[in-house]
Amino acid sequence: MDQPSGRSFMQVLCEKYSPENFPYRRGPGMGVHVPATPQGSPMKDRLNLPSVLVLNSCGITCAGDEKEIAAFCAHVSELDLSDNKLEDWHEVSKIVSNVPQLEFLNLSSNPLNLSVLERTCAGSFSGVRKLVLNNSKASWETVHMILQELPEYHELITKYGKLEPLAEVDLRPQSSAKVEVHFNDQVEEMSIRLDQTVAELKKQLKTLVQLPTSNMLLYYFDHEAPFGPEEMKYSSRALHSFGIRDGDKIYVESKTK
């Protein structure tokens, strides 16, 4: 099968997380993983990958080299691929099948209505606990097939020791969320629109924190995730791509502390 034209997941990963562009990640729980790579790999000693990868709005159309994905992404647990150009479920399954620890996958705003997931590829999603498909127009046939591939009830008991939801497939476009905004010693609960960008959120917070937007650093903390805060560093990134939910937290810091 010919590779689709466009940028591959592996190509974008190499560009974004190379030491030149992404030397390290600050904040608790944000350790850098530099994996051992196959001998002769063109990316050996080049990629510094956190366990949470954000590759939204990068023009990704295909997976790329599966051996490279497996070598670099064995520890990755969350993957944001929203607002890309993925239209082939077979390419998505190539990515997912080579990220064995993946629990959260955001495929929002990809044109996934243009193909149907084949049953032979559906098993790749068996470990995913939350799959976000907002505005992807994925067919119910595909969604049903993914849900069918989840572990049976007795396997859940054996593996996890207690009954928990097998997976959450989110198809509803959540428009807002109630979050806690932390600044210095202040905590303010407020409702934020998820269709706005990071830059627009800074404008909304300007009066509350009494800081110019150019002097703000924002960090997002998912209250249910075992990871530390994620810096909201890209001004044009949409808030919905962070997976923000009610009860999450936004930390505001001044650049000139």
Side-chain angles (χ1 to χ4, degrees), residues 145-191:
M145 193 173 298
I146 291 173
L147 291 174
Q148 279 188 319
E149 291 300 321
L150 296 173
E152 296 294 337
Y153 178 83
H154 70 276
E155 291 179 346
L156 177 69
I157 296 294
T158 302
K159 187 172 181 180
Y160 299 104
K162 62 179 180 179
L163 180 61
E164 295 178 348
L166 291 177
E168 177 183 350
V169 179
D170 186 354
L171 297 171
R172 297 169 298 172
Q174 186 175 349
S175 60
S176 64
K178 282 188 176 180
V179 299
E180 288 184 1
V181 177
H182 293 247
F183 178 65
N184 291 335
D185 296 326
Q186 303 175 30
V187 180
E188 187 81 21
E189 187 177 87
M190 64 186 299
S191 178

Side-chain angles (χ1 to χ4, degrees), residues 76-186:
V76 171
S77 60
E78 297 194 21
L79 179 57
D80 182 359
L81 293 174
S82 60
D83 294 289
N84 277 292
K85 298 179 180 179
L86 288 161
E87 59 182 49
D88 188 342
W89 277 102
H90 183 59
E91 292 300 317
V92 176
S93 70
K94 285 181 184 178
I95 297 171
V96 175
S97 64
N98 287 290
V99 188
Q101 302 300 318
L102 189 65
E103 294 187 350
F104 174 84
L105 175 62
N106 188 353
L107 292 171
S108 298
S109 300
N110 281 279
L112 290 167
N113 59 312
L114 301 178
S115 68
V116 176
L117 180 66
E118 297 176 8
R119 185 170 295 279
T120 54
C121 299
S124 304
F125 297 85
S126 61
V128 176
R129 302 298 298 276
K130 182 170 184 180
L131 174 62
V132 183
L133 296 172
N134 296 345
N135 199 33
S136 67
K137 300 180 181 178
S139 69
W140 282 110
E141 178 185 354
T142 292
V143 174
H144 180 66
M145 193 173 298
I146 291 173
L147 291 174
Q148 279 188 319
E149 291 300 321
L150 296 173
E152 296 294 337
Y153 178 83
H154 70 276
E155 291 179 346
L156 177 69
I157 296 294
T158 302
K159 187 172 181 180
Y160 299 104
K162 62 179 180 179
L163 180 61
E164 295 178 348
L166 291 177
E168 177 183 350
V169 179
D170 186 354
L171 297 171
R172 297 169 298 172
Q174 186 175 349
S175 60
S176 64
K178 282 188 176 180
V179 299
E180 288 184 1
V181 177
H182 293 247
F183 178 65
N184 291 335
D185 296 326
Q186 303 175 30

